Amino acid sequence: MNRSRYETPTPNVEKFVWISKEVKLDVAVTHDQPAQKAPFAPLQPIRQALDNFQIYRPKTARLICRLIPASCPFARTIKLFNRTLFQIPPLCKLNPFYEEFVGLRFRALSYLADHCNEDISRYC
């Protein structure tokens, strides 16, 4: 096929799609990009198991609500003669499963309130 001498080849550049004045969507055209390796995440199977844990029995939901505290129990204020010496910050955020445990406790409380019609104020 012969190209017209007035045609120019399309360069391999970014293309922009304008949605509105403030928002633009960048679509990059790239070729020969090497495959990216999955990040090393040894705790991911445990996180997924905690996220996928389903609650079917009220006894299990009550046990979860008793075992997982509503607030971090490690925050302390050390005082001597009514003067604050130092404070220990809550260390729950350092737990790698913190978000999963909070979600599991929330699902247990929701199960007790929605399916069992229990008063959950005693677990809070």
Side-chain angles (χ1 to χ4, degrees):
M1 290 199 302
N2 292 333
R3 281 190 156 175
S4 168
R5 64 181 177 164
Y6 299 110
E7 275 186 49
T8 58
T10 306
N12 189 7
V13 296
E14 291 183 271
K15 296 179 182 178
F16 297 101
V17 178
W18 293 93
I19 297 172
S20 70
K21 285 185 176 181
E22 294 84 20
V23 180
K24 73 176 178 182
L25 178 64
D26 295 331
V27 180
V29 179
T30 58
H31 297 287
D32 301 329
Q33 202 172 33
Q36 293 181 355
K37 290 184 179 180
F40 180 68
L43 300 178
Q44 192 62 29
I46 300 170
R47 286 188 176 139
Q48 286 178 346
L50 287 172
D51 280 339
N52 294 333
F53 186 80
Q54 297 294 320
I55 300 168
Y56 298 110
R57 297 182 350 176
K59 189 175 181 179
T60 306
R62 287 186 205 104
L63 178 67
I64 290 171
C65 291
R66 279 195 304 259
L67 290 178
I68 301 173
S71 62
C72 189
F74 302 115
R76 299 280 186 255
T77 302
I78 309 300
K79 292 185 176 187
L80 182 65
F81 303 116
N82 289 333
R83 289 194 67 179
T84 301
L85 296 178
F86 58 91
Q87 292 182 340
I88 301 172
L91 302 174
C92 292
K93 293 283 184 170
L94 298 178
N95 182 353
F97 304 115
Y98 175 75
E99 297 293 328
E100 287 77 15
F101 283 138
V102 169
L104 182 62
R105 186 175 197 279
F106 179 75
R107 288 195 306 273
L109 287 171
S110 298
Y111 178 82
L112 289 174
D114 295 341
H115 296 281
C116 303
N117 296 326
E118 284 191 27
D119 180 27
I120 59 170
S121 62
R122 63 180 170 169
Y123 298 113
C124 296

